[in-house]
Amino acid sequence: MTQPPTHRLGAPAAPARRLRARRPAHLFNPIVLLLTHLPSRLRFRNLLVGGAALWLSACSGLKYIPANEKLYTGTTVKVEAPEKLKNESALVTELESVVRPVPNFSLLGMRPKLFFWHLGEGKTKGLGHFFADKLGEAPVLLSQVKIPATENLMLNRLYNHGYFAAKVSHEVKEKDRTAQVDYKATVDRAYTMRSITFPPGDTLLNAAIRATAPGSLLKVGDPYDLAVLTNERLRIDEALKNQGYYYFSADALLFEVDSTYHKQVDVFVTVKGLTPARSRQPYRLRNVTLNTNYVLTDTTERPPIIADGFRYFPDEEMFRAKAITRATFLFPDSLYRRKRRDQTLSRLMSLGTFKFVEIRFNPVAASDSTGPTARYRANAPASTREDSTDIGTTQQFPAMRAPVGLGRLDADVLMTQLKKKSLRAELGLVSKSNGFVGPGLKITFRNRSAFRGAEQLLVNATASTETQSNAGGEGTLGLTSYELGLNAQLLVPRLIVPNLPFFNPRLVNSDFQPRTTFEAGVKLVTRANFFTEQLVNLKYGYSFKTKITNEQVITPIDVSYVRLSNTSLAFDSLLNEKPFLKNSFRQQFILASSYRYTYNQQVLEQRRQQIYFQGGIETSGNLAALLAGKIGTKNDEGKYTIGNQVFSQYAKLDLEFREYFRLSADPAKGNRIVGRLLAGVGRPYGNSSVLPYIKQYGIGGPNSVRAFAARGVGPGTYRPTGADVNNSFYDQVGDMRLEGNIEYRQDLFPYVKGALFMDAGNIWLVNDDPARPGGQFKASSFFNQLAVGAGAGIRIDVQFFVIRFDYAVPLRAGYGTPVDDAGNVSRTGRLNLAIGYPF
């Protein structure tokens, strides 16, 4: 590369040196002369313009272009057709994708990367090398543009879309030091498919391919498109893999196209002549062997037994055979189907007891009629040959001979176990939505096969002490809190339901293991000097997935008992002043049932637009009220009771919708716009006048409207005043919630992301409460009561955890212009520190 010429001034003559010695140096300094003789305003303006001109000339990068070269500034692509093309925009984008090289980065005519490159040009170390290597880029010259190769690539893309008579031309537009290349593609109407013919003949393979024709992606009259042909090949391959063709490959399919007709083609689906014989025949499974304790150095010679038709290596200390065979969908003497292989892998891994699962298929020689089963059976000790074990039968499979034209495979399912039992302790910082923070200890015991059926037993013990971080002032409630809890959860990898004629609890068409959950827990919460609360919970429910994107959770039994004790005079006084709070904290049973449905496209990582939806409904006390109405009794307040304890009646509906839109087509890019909408409503009735306190909504905090404290908004236009300010987290709850968030996320540096966001939302009461004026929901005014905040954030994302710093400023409170506790207008921002993304 030719270096730009360098000019150096020669040494001044002797008289000049003598003259300089006699006169002030500044007289010959043009900058000093300019500053001395120009008026100040004109001097500043000219300096500004001159400095800008010098900076722009350097940042434009043109001064670094070698002589006799021109800087390549990019290209345009235009498609000309006799009529408007339906796919013109997508076609232009595809043609643009083949243009090489990419021009230098430019912003408003400036190319700062060229400037930094020039600072370190030719240097191998030092600051200049750093600028060139990290911040700069070498100039992209017109001589580097391979125009003929680019035109050929464009023609290839046009042919792929059926434009067989297309032409591509170009024009180079040159300026003083720059040049761009403009391409023009001239196309006629695309060729369409006149007929599609699948392979004829009576061979098993040809017949199997013809059987897939009803689901073909190729349609008569559609434009010829190579991408559609490629997807059709993959579709046929997938269909054949599920019809026993284990060794078949999509590469064995060939599409022959006859384009002799005017603007039409005939497509013939054929099988390549050199396709090996094993790819042309389907396979049946002979033996399916299950090894639940496989390791790479496994040299065991222990004999298998026959359990539910499978060859099973017993591991009685860990599993009963039924737990594994129930999750296996590869059956002996069945046709090989890839979807059943994938289903088996997914089901076994989702048990949560295995580190790795691998399935190996081995062809069986045609002369081997008995196979490994007979050999293992013959060598097995007498104790295992007897049908006396509780995990299956040791009877031998009959010798199976495959029908003519079918091969046979043996399948070995190899499972590497995780440790059966584990104990884990976590010490961390507890942060709750009501403003309490403090250290917490959690100890978890896990048994991955508690009853030898792959049931996972988790026992959690928790202890924490917390201080309300936003509390202060005289009369503050709950300044210090202590919490002890014990919770046990049993996850059974099957649906424990009655036999129903229309429902198969195995969900045989699902790749995911259904579960039945049993849960029990107790918790003791003490607010120092104010009250003690005991909570007991029992839960029974089901969770299952029919697709990777959806999940359903049904909880028919969710019983909670809340008991308040050791209340102080100050807390009793607060309850007497606030009837809604007294009703919320009363001793009661919560006899709930719920259903939740989740649809989540985030698991589809290649999708540019991803949608998340969750909807749930919960009811409580209906069956109890029905029974109590027949045989129950009422207390002095007219409430039905169970064991002299009131039970709650309410219904709740919660909806959440999110949308994630990635700005770049590259899945690796994290720049995206994310939106969320939350809506919820709870309605007390019958035995209840308010929702239980633990079921009410709060808003604000690091995962909600971030410009306000947790439970620092609403309900409605209500604003705590006086002594209520210190205990506002008790007051600021409601029966309805509406919240919306929008966030722009931008990759900044490796593992560092930035965000700009805006949040809005509020909560309301269903029934009016005189103690919280303005809190009741009114359809005519709720929109004007939304609290609004906006801000920016930094997220440190190292994949397995995210640390988030969000700074948000309140723009509007539910009651109007935000004010501080003294009533003065305040837009003081709030810094939120949290773990994970807000949504």
mmCIF file of all heavy atoms in Angstrom, residues 376-414:
data_model
loop_
_atom_site.group_PDB
_atom_site.id
_atom_site.type_symbol
_atom_site.label_atom_id
_atom_site.label_comp_id
_atom_site.label_asym_id
_atom_site.label_seq_id
_atom_site.Cartn_x
_atom_site.Cartn_y
_atom_site.Cartn_z
ATOM 1 N N TYR A 376 -27.333 -64.477 26.937
ATOM 2 C CA TYR A 376 -27.373 -64.060 28.330
ATOM 3 C C TYR A 376 -28.203 -65.037 29.167
ATOM 4 O O TYR A 376 -27.865 -65.370 30.278
ATOM 5 C CB TYR A 376 -27.973 -62.644 28.440
ATOM 6 C CG TYR A 376 -26.969 -61.553 28.207
ATOM 7 C CD1 TYR A 376 -27.106 -60.668 27.143
ATOM 8 C CD2 TYR A 376 -25.887 -61.396 29.066
ATOM 9 C CE1 TYR A 376 -26.188 -59.655 26.936
ATOM 10 C CE2 TYR A 376 -24.958 -60.379 28.864
ATOM 11 C CZ TYR A 376 -25.113 -59.516 27.797
ATOM 12 O OH TYR A 376 -24.203 -58.514 27.594
ATOM 13 N N ARG A 377 -29.302 -65.485 28.569
ATOM 14 C CA ARG A 377 -30.199 -66.391 29.295
ATOM 15 C C ARG A 377 -29.508 -67.716 29.604
ATOM 16 O O ARG A 377 -29.623 -68.252 30.691
ATOM 17 C CB ARG A 377 -31.461 -66.625 28.444
ATOM 18 C CG ARG A 377 -32.437 -67.645 29.026
ATOM 19 C CD ARG A 377 -33.104 -67.093 30.298
ATOM 20 N NE ARG A 377 -34.153 -67.978 30.752
ATOM 21 C CZ ARG A 377 -33.934 -69.059 31.501
ATOM 22 N NH1 ARG A 377 -32.716 -69.385 31.842
ATOM 23 N NH2 ARG A 377 -34.956 -69.812 31.892
ATOM 24 N N ALA A 378 -28.762 -68.203 28.645
ATOM 25 C CA ALA A 378 -28.115 -69.495 28.839
ATOM 26 C C ALA A 378 -27.016 -69.425 29.894
ATOM 27 O O ALA A 378 -26.795 -70.391 30.627
ATOM 28 C CB ALA A 378 -27.535 -69.983 27.511
ATOM 29 N N ASN A 379 -26.334 -68.272 29.991
ATOM 30 C CA ASN A 379 -25.215 -68.137 30.921
ATOM 31 C C ASN A 379 -25.629 -67.583 32.274
ATOM 32 O O ASN A 379 -24.789 -67.464 33.169
ATOM 33 C CB ASN A 379 -24.137 -67.230 30.322
ATOM 34 C CG ASN A 379 -23.553 -67.827 29.059
ATOM 35 O OD1 ASN A 379 -23.428 -69.044 28.950
ATOM 36 N ND2 ASN A 379 -23.194 -66.967 28.102
ATOM 37 N N ALA A 380 -26.871 -67.204 32.411
ATOM 38 C CA ALA A 380 -27.322 -66.595 33.664
ATOM 39 C C ALA A 380 -27.404 -67.646 34.764
ATOM 40 O O ALA A 380 -27.733 -68.801 34.516
ATOM 41 C CB ALA A 380 -28.688 -65.955 33.471
ATOM 42 N N PRO A 381 -27.110 -67.261 36.007
ATOM 43 C CA PRO A 381 -27.247 -68.208 37.122
ATOM 44 C C PRO A 381 -28.699 -68.599 37.324
ATOM 45 O O PRO A 381 -29.621 -67.894 36.931
ATOM 46 C CB PRO A 381 -26.691 -67.423 38.316
ATOM 47 C CG PRO A 381 -26.721 -65.989 37.909
ATOM 48 C CD PRO A 381 -26.581 -65.965 36.425
ATOM 49 N N ALA A 382 -28.884 -69.718 37.976
ATOM 50 C CA ALA A 382 -30.238 -70.252 38.150
ATOM 51 C C ALA A 382 -31.122 -69.295 38.917
ATOM 52 O O ALA A 382 -32.328 -69.203 38.677
ATOM 53 C CB ALA A 382 -30.166 -71.619 38.858
ATOM 54 N N SER A 383 -30.524 -68.539 39.856
ATOM 55 C CA SER A 383 -31.337 -67.638 40.673
ATOM 56 C C SER A 383 -32.000 -66.554 39.841
ATOM 57 O O SER A 383 -33.070 -66.059 40.178
ATOM 58 C CB SER A 383 -30.482 -67.008 41.773
ATOM 59 O OG SER A 383 -29.416 -66.288 41.185
ATOM 60 N N THR A 384 -31.341 -66.159 38.748
ATOM 61 C CA THR A 384 -31.934 -65.124 37.908
ATOM 62 C C THR A 384 -32.789 -65.700 36.804
ATOM 63 O O THR A 384 -33.542 -64.975 36.177
ATOM 64 C CB THR A 384 -30.836 -64.250 37.279
ATOM 65 O OG1 THR A 384 -30.000 -65.083 36.462
ATOM 66 C CG2 THR A 384 -29.998 -63.576 38.337
ATOM 67 N N ARG A 385 -32.632 -67.008 36.535
ATOM 68 C CA ARG A 385 -33.478 -67.598 35.503
ATOM 69 C C ARG A 385 -34.872 -67.878 36.022
ATOM 70 O O ARG A 385 -35.827 -67.988 35.265
ATOM 71 C CB ARG A 385 -32.843 -68.897 34.981
ATOM 72 C CG ARG A 385 -31.560 -68.675 34.208
ATOM 73 C CD ARG A 385 -31.273 -69.843 33.290
ATOM 74 N NE ARG A 385 -31.179 -71.096 34.012
ATOM 75 C CZ ARG A 385 -30.028 -71.608 34.469
ATOM 76 N NH1 ARG A 385 -28.903 -70.945 34.284
ATOM 77 N NH2 ARG A 385 -30.009 -72.765 35.090
ATOM 78 N N GLU A 386 -34.993 -67.985 37.333
ATOM 79 C CA GLU A 386 -36.314 -68.259 37.904
ATOM 80 C C GLU A 386 -37.148 -66.983 37.877
ATOM 81 O O GLU A 386 -36.664 -65.896 38.123
ATOM 82 C CB GLU A 386 -36.168 -68.770 39.336
ATOM 83 C CG GLU A 386 -35.421 -70.104 39.427
ATOM 84 C CD GLU A 386 -35.177 -70.503 40.863
ATOM 85 O OE1 GLU A 386 -35.582 -69.718 41.745
ATOM 86 O OE2 GLU A 386 -34.596 -71.578 41.096
ATOM 87 N N ASP A 387 -38.432 -67.184 37.651
ATOM 88 C CA ASP A 387 -39.349 -66.045 37.618
ATOM 89 C C ASP A 387 -39.828 -65.742 39.027
ATOM 90 O O ASP A 387 -40.985 -65.936 39.359
ATOM 91 C CB ASP A 387 -40.518 -66.352 36.678
ATOM 92 C CG ASP A 387 -41.373 -65.127 36.438
ATOM 93 O OD1 ASP A 387 -40.930 -64.018 36.781
ATOM 94 O OD2 ASP A 387 -42.475 -65.290 35.913
ATOM 95 N N SER A 388 -38.902 -65.268 39.881
ATOM 96 C CA SER A 388 -39.236 -65.040 41.280
ATOM 97 C C SER A 388 -38.908 -63.629 41.745
ATOM 98 O O SER A 388 -39.098 -63.310 42.898
ATOM 99 C CB SER A 388 -38.457 -66.041 42.165
ATOM 100 O OG SER A 388 -37.073 -65.868 41.960
ATOM 101 N N THR A 389 -38.405 -62.803 40.851
ATOM 102 C CA THR A 389 -38.040 -61.449 41.245
ATOM 103 C C THR A 389 -39.231 -60.513 41.129
ATOM 104 O O THR A 389 -40.141 -60.736 40.330
ATOM 105 C CB THR A 389 -36.896 -60.920 40.368
ATOM 106 O OG1 THR A 389 -36.652 -59.575 40.718
ATOM 107 C CG2 THR A 389 -37.247 -60.988 38.900
ATOM 108 N N ASP A 390 -39.218 -59.451 41.929
ATOM 109 C CA ASP A 390 -40.329 -58.498 41.898
ATOM 110 C C ASP A 390 -40.111 -57.405 40.868
ATOM 111 O O ASP A 390 -40.892 -56.468 40.788
ATOM 112 C CB ASP A 390 -40.530 -57.858 43.280
ATOM 113 C CG ASP A 390 -39.334 -57.024 43.697
ATOM 114 O OD1 ASP A 390 -38.271 -57.185 43.070
ATOM 115 O OD2 ASP A 390 -39.476 -56.234 44.636
ATOM 116 N N ILE A 391 -39.049 -57.486 40.094
ATOM 117 C CA ILE A 391 -38.802 -56.426 39.115
ATOM 118 C C ILE A 391 -38.992 -56.903 37.693
ATOM 119 O O ILE A 391 -38.645 -56.215 36.754
ATOM 120 C CB ILE A 391 -37.387 -55.842 39.281
ATOM 121 C CG1 ILE A 391 -36.326 -56.906 39.031
ATOM 122 C CG2 ILE A 391 -37.209 -55.233 40.634
ATOM 123 C CD1 ILE A 391 -34.935 -56.345 39.022
ATOM 124 N N GLY A 392 -39.530 -58.062 37.477
ATOM 125 C CA GLY A 392 -39.794 -58.496 36.111
ATOM 126 C C GLY A 392 -39.627 -59.994 35.958
ATOM 127 O O GLY A 392 -39.389 -60.719 36.923
ATOM 128 N N THR A 393 -39.729 -60.444 34.741
ATOM 129 C CA THR A 393 -39.590 -61.865 34.452
ATOM 130 C C THR A 393 -38.287 -62.113 33.727
ATOM 131 O O THR A 393 -37.811 -61.287 32.972
ATOM 132 C CB THR A 393 -40.764 -62.359 33.591
ATOM 133 O OG1 THR A 393 -40.505 -63.712 33.221
ATOM 134 C CG2 THR A 393 -40.923 -61.538 32.326
ATOM 135 N N THR A 394 -37.677 -63.254 33.977
ATOM 136 C CA THR A 394 -36.430 -63.612 33.314
ATOM 137 C C THR A 394 -36.660 -64.526 32.128
ATOM 138 O O THR A 394 -35.721 -65.080 31.583
ATOM 139 C CB THR A 394 -35.486 -64.316 34.310
ATOM 140 O OG1 THR A 394 -36.144 -65.488 34.831
ATOM 141 C CG2 THR A 394 -35.127 -63.387 35.441
ATOM 142 N N GLN A 395 -37.910 -64.684 31.708
ATOM 143 C CA GLN A 395 -38.176 -65.550 30.567
ATOM 144 C C GLN A 395 -37.562 -64.961 29.301
ATOM 145 O O GLN A 395 -37.566 -63.760 29.093
ATOM 146 C CB GLN A 395 -39.678 -65.744 30.386
ATOM 147 C CG GLN A 395 -40.316 -66.538 31.540
ATOM 148 C CD GLN A 395 -41.808 -66.689 31.355
ATOM 149 O OE1 GLN A 395 -42.368 -66.121 30.439
ATOM 150 N NE2 GLN A 395 -42.432 -67.461 32.223
ATOM 151 N N GLN A 396 -37.078 -65.867 28.458
ATOM 152 C CA GLN A 396 -36.378 -65.440 27.248
ATOM 153 C C GLN A 396 -37.365 -64.994 26.178
ATOM 154 O O GLN A 396 -38.458 -65.520 26.055
ATOM 155 C CB GLN A 396 -35.546 -66.622 26.733
ATOM 156 C CG GLN A 396 -34.874 -66.370 25.396
ATOM 157 C CD GLN A 396 -34.283 -67.663 24.866
ATOM 158 O OE1 GLN A 396 -34.044 -68.590 25.619
ATOM 159 N NE2 GLN A 396 -34.057 -67.705 23.579
ATOM 160 N N PHE A 397 -36.941 -63.959 25.389
ATOM 161 C CA PHE A 397 -37.725 -63.590 24.217
ATOM 162 C C PHE A 397 -37.714 -64.750 23.223
ATOM 163 O O PHE A 397 -36.697 -65.429 23.067
ATOM 164 C CB PHE A 397 -37.107 -62.375 23.512
ATOM 165 C CG PHE A 397 -37.430 -61.076 24.153
ATOM 166 C CD1 PHE A 397 -36.429 -60.137 24.327
ATOM 167 C CD2 PHE A 397 -38.704 -60.792 24.578
ATOM 168 C CE1 PHE A 397 -36.713 -58.924 24.912
ATOM 169 C CE2 PHE A 397 -38.978 -59.574 25.165
ATOM 170 C CZ PHE A 397 -37.989 -58.638 25.335
ATOM 171 N N PRO A 398 -38.789 -64.955 22.518
ATOM 172 C CA PRO A 398 -38.734 -65.923 21.401
ATOM 173 C C PRO A 398 -37.854 -65.372 20.298
ATOM 174 O O PRO A 398 -37.727 -64.167 20.127
ATOM 175 C CB PRO A 398 -40.195 -66.021 20.953
ATOM 176 C CG PRO A 398 -40.811 -64.737 21.375
ATOM 177 C CD PRO A 398 -40.124 -64.356 22.660
ATOM 178 N N ALA A 399 -37.231 -66.278 19.562
ATOM 179 C CA ALA A 399 -36.406 -65.849 18.440
ATOM 180 C C ALA A 399 -37.273 -65.149 17.416
ATOM 181 O O ALA A 399 -38.338 -65.630 17.041
ATOM 182 C CB ALA A 399 -35.723 -67.064 17.809
ATOM 183 N N MET A 400 -36.815 -63.957 16.963
ATOM 184 C CA MET A 400 -37.617 -63.164 16.032
ATOM 185 C C MET A 400 -36.910 -63.110 14.698
ATOM 186 O O MET A 400 -35.741 -62.743 14.613
ATOM 187 C CB MET A 400 -37.813 -61.738 16.580
ATOM 188 C CG MET A 400 -38.617 -61.681 17.861
ATOM 189 S SD MET A 400 -38.845 -59.982 18.403
ATOM 190 C CE MET A 400 -37.152 -59.532 18.734
ATOM 191 N N ARG A 401 -37.621 -63.453 13.674
ATOM 192 C CA ARG A 401 -37.102 -63.321 12.316
ATOM 193 C C ARG A 401 -37.845 -62.178 11.638
ATOM 194 O O ARG A 401 -39.075 -62.150 11.617
ATOM 195 C CB ARG A 401 -37.290 -64.619 11.540
ATOM 196 C CG ARG A 401 -36.496 -65.787 12.122
ATOM 197 C CD ARG A 401 -36.603 -67.011 11.239
ATOM 198 N NE ARG A 401 -35.864 -68.121 11.805
ATOM 199 C CZ ARG A 401 -34.562 -68.323 11.615
ATOM 200 N NH1 ARG A 401 -33.888 -67.459 10.884
ATOM 201 N NH2 ARG A 401 -33.943 -69.361 12.150
ATOM 202 N N ALA A 402 -37.094 -61.232 11.116
ATOM 203 C CA ALA A 402 -37.715 -60.066 10.482
ATOM 204 C C ALA A 402 -38.369 -60.470 9.174
ATOM 205 O O ALA A 402 -37.907 -61.385 8.487
ATOM 206 C CB ALA A 402 -36.667 -59.003 10.225
ATOM 207 N N PRO A 403 -39.489 -59.819 8.790
ATOM 208 C CA PRO A 403 -40.090 -60.074 7.483
ATOM 209 C C PRO A 403 -39.102 -59.779 6.375
ATOM 210 O O PRO A 403 -38.130 -59.047 6.554
ATOM 211 C CB PRO A 403 -41.282 -59.109 7.458
ATOM 212 C CG PRO A 403 -41.550 -58.788 8.890
ATOM 213 C CD PRO A 403 -40.222 -58.859 9.584
ATOM 214 N N VAL A 404 -39.371 -60.382 5.224
ATOM 215 C CA VAL A 404 -38.498 -60.183 4.073
ATOM 216 C C VAL A 404 -38.425 -58.693 3.743
ATOM 217 O O VAL A 404 -39.441 -58.009 3.672
ATOM 218 C CB VAL A 404 -39.013 -60.982 2.863
ATOM 219 C CG1 VAL A 404 -38.142 -60.713 1.639
ATOM 220 C CG2 VAL A 404 -39.029 -62.472 3.186
ATOM 221 N N GLY A 405 -37.195 -58.177 3.551
ATOM 222 C CA GLY A 405 -37.003 -56.787 3.195
ATOM 223 C C GLY A 405 -36.788 -55.879 4.378
ATOM 224 O O GLY A 405 -36.514 -54.706 4.198
ATOM 225 N N LEU A 406 -36.912 -56.385 5.600
ATOM 226 C CA LEU A 406 -36.708 -55.580 6.791
ATOM 227 C C LEU A 406 -35.439 -56.024 7.502
ATOM 228 O O LEU A 406 -35.159 -57.226 7.620
ATOM 229 C CB LEU A 406 -37.891 -55.697 7.756
ATOM 230 C CG LEU A 406 -39.031 -54.678 7.553
ATOM 231 C CD1 LEU A 406 -39.766 -54.968 6.269
ATOM 232 C CD2 LEU A 406 -39.976 -54.700 8.736
ATOM 233 N N GLY A 407 -34.668 -55.040 7.985
ATOM 234 C CA GLY A 407 -33.512 -55.348 8.795
ATOM 235 C C GLY A 407 -33.871 -55.316 10.262
ATOM 236 O O GLY A 407 -35.010 -55.015 10.653
ATOM 237 N N ARG A 408 -32.880 -55.635 11.114
ATOM 238 C CA ARG A 408 -33.117 -55.641 12.558
ATOM 239 C C ARG A 408 -32.014 -54.879 13.258
ATOM 240 O O ARG A 408 -30.854 -54.883 12.827
ATOM 241 C CB ARG A 408 -33.200 -57.084 13.079
ATOM 242 C CG ARG A 408 -34.444 -57.835 12.640
ATOM 243 C CD ARG A 408 -34.409 -59.259 13.138
ATOM 244 N NE ARG A 408 -33.253 -59.980 12.614
ATOM 245 C CZ ARG A 408 -32.795 -61.127 13.139
ATOM 246 N NH1 ARG A 408 -33.386 -61.631 14.194
ATOM 247 N NH2 ARG A 408 -31.757 -61.730 12.608
ATOM 248 N N LEU A 409 -32.400 -54.230 14.334
ATOM 249 C CA LEU A 409 -31.471 -53.457 15.148
ATOM 250 C C LEU A 409 -31.614 -53.864 16.608
ATOM 251 O O LEU A 409 -32.720 -54.148 17.077
ATOM 252 C CB LEU A 409 -31.756 -51.954 15.033
ATOM 253 C CG LEU A 409 -31.584 -51.263 13.678
ATOM 254 C CD1 LEU A 409 -32.127 -49.843 13.757
ATOM 255 C CD2 LEU A 409 -30.119 -51.254 13.255
ATOM 256 N N ASP A 410 -30.501 -53.872 17.310
ATOM 257 C CA ASP A 410 -30.514 -53.951 18.768
ATOM 258 C C ASP A 410 -30.249 -52.557 19.310
ATOM 259 O O ASP A 410 -29.378 -51.839 18.807
ATOM 260 C CB ASP A 410 -29.442 -54.911 19.282
ATOM 261 C CG ASP A 410 -29.858 -56.366 19.137
ATOM 262 O OD1 ASP A 410 -31.070 -56.621 19.033
ATOM 263 O OD2 ASP A 410 -28.967 -57.248 19.128
ATOM 264 N N ALA A 411 -31.002 -52.158 20.323
ATOM 265 C CA ALA A 411 -30.848 -50.835 20.931
ATOM 266 C C ALA A 411 -30.313 -50.978 22.345
ATOM 267 O O ALA A 411 -30.862 -51.745 23.149
ATOM 268 C CB ALA A 411 -32.177 -50.093 20.941
ATOM 269 N N ASP A 412 -29.238 -50.266 22.642
ATOM 270 C CA ASP A 412 -28.671 -50.217 23.990
ATOM 271 C C ASP A 412 -28.881 -48.816 24.545
ATOM 272 O O ASP A 412 -28.343 -47.840 24.006
ATOM 273 C CB ASP A 412 -27.180 -50.539 23.966
ATOM 274 C CG ASP A 412 -26.909 -51.977 23.560
ATOM 275 O OD1 ASP A 412 -27.717 -52.847 23.917
ATOM 276 O OD2 ASP A 412 -25.892 -52.222 22.872
ATOM 277 N N VAL A 413 -29.665 -48.713 25.618
ATOM 278 C CA VAL A 413 -29.922 -47.445 26.277
ATOM 279 C C VAL A 413 -28.987 -47.362 27.477
ATOM 280 O O VAL A 413 -29.140 -48.113 28.449
ATOM 281 C CB VAL A 413 -31.390 -47.310 26.711
ATOM 282 C CG1 VAL A 413 -31.650 -45.921 27.295
ATOM 283 C CG2 VAL A 413 -32.322 -47.579 25.541
ATOM 284 N N LEU A 414 -28.003 -46.466 27.405
ATOM 285 C CA LEU A 414 -26.944 -46.371 28.406
ATOM 286 C C LEU A 414 -27.142 -45.112 29.239
ATOM 287 O O LEU A 414 -27.139 -43.996 28.704
ATOM 288 C CB LEU A 414 -25.575 -46.352 27.725
ATOM 289 C CG LEU A 414 -25.335 -47.474 26.701
ATOM 290 C CD1 LEU A 414 -24.001 -47.277 26.001
ATOM 291 C CD2 LEU A 414 -25.403 -48.838 27.358
#
